Amino acid sequence: MCTGWCEERCGNSAGGRWRGKRVDFQSWLPFSLLFLVLWGQASPQCPTSCLCSWDTATVQCSDAGLREIPEGIPPETVTLHLEHNYIRNLPESAFRDLVHLRDLYLSHNRIDSLATGALRHLGPELRLLDLSHNQLRQANREEFGSTRAKTRLYHNPWHCNCALQELMETLHLEPETVNGIICESSVRGMGEGSRWEDPGSQGEHAGQPLVKLLDSGVNFCSLHRKTTDVAMLVTMFVWFFMVIVYVVYYVRQNQAEARRHLEYLKSLPSPRKTPTETDTLSTGF
């Protein structure tokens, strides 16, 4: 048993031990908080409404009700799923920081426009670009940049013209889906009265696969050049007609002015002869 002195000593020693532990905890607390802050800053963040798999560098944002490209996509992302949303357009800076991206899924959205260079920032590692099942009508090479990824463009309401033809010749289209690129409308042809390009009209090639049209010899760029030639010819004719009208108007105005001037001269009184002139004329000298 412990006497009173022993109890006091034991109490002092126990209190010393607890005070020592409390001092140690207080000294480690700032370091712990600093570690947590630094770890939170260093760890990658996942965008809102998305699921991220860090081991495969995959960001899953499909069927998330998105109306635009989410912000804060980790730069290390390799696979990005954005299909089955309500995205309408792709801004130019959408994928600027995703230099390691290899697979980009954008199908089943409402994309109807691409900003110039929207896909230009995608790195050379990109191997798959899925833009199928959207609302794209027109596109050109500047919007896609120099990507060599396997591209899906089927199930879009395409308006087939020269720009789309040049794009098709540039992209690496997925062979299994290339026949699904259908012309919902096209440049108006030779027998359709007007050959002006009208995206709202159907055209003679509506409902046909673009690739089969090109294979059969249809050249939309040739139609475009002919349309440009006709436009230049019409413009020159209009200017020539305006010049002729002006010349005719100018001549008629001058004739009218000359006629009025002649009539004015005729209306003036003839000058009277002096007596000396009368005498001279009468004598014959």
Side-chain angles (χ1 to χ4, degrees), residues 10 32 79 84 87 89 91 99 112-113 119 129 133 138 148 158 188 199 210 214 269 274-275 277:
C10 291
S32 301
T79 303
H84 293 280
I87 301 172
N89 57 71
V99 296
D112 56 9
S113 64
L119 305 173
L129 174 61
H133 294 275
Q138 301 189 53
R148 299 303 302 166
W158 291 111
R188 297 175 68 89
L210 176 59
L214 298 179
T274 62
E277 291 177 346

Side-chain angles (χ1 to χ4, degrees), residues 27 36 39 68 110 115-116 118 140 163 179 200 205 221 238 244 271 273:
S27 63
L36 291 175
W39 182 83
E68 58 185 11
R110 299 178 181 178
T116 302
N140 55 57
N179 288 328
H205 304 301
C221 293
V238 171
I244 295 298
K273 297 179 181 180

Side-chain angles (χ1 to χ4, degrees), residues 77-78 98-103 122-128 149:
T77 301
V78 172
L98 306 181
V99 296
H100 303 291
L101 195 62
R102 299 181 64 185
D103 302 305
L122 295 173
E125 298 183 13
L126 188 69
R127 63 183 183 183
L128 177 62

Side-chain angles (χ1 to χ4, degrees), residues 90-95 114-122 142-143:
L90 300 182
E92 186 174 357
S93 59
F95 310 108
L114 305 174
T116 302
L119 305 173
R120 187 180 303 171
H121 301 293
L122 295 173
E142 287 73 19
E143 295 168 347

Side-chain angles (χ1 to χ4, degrees), residues 238-252:
V238 171
W239 278 105
F240 181 74
F241 177 76
M242 293 176 63
V243 170
I244 295 298
V245 170
Y246 176 77
V247 170
V248 172
Y249 173 78
Y250 180 77
V251 170
R252 289 184 176 180

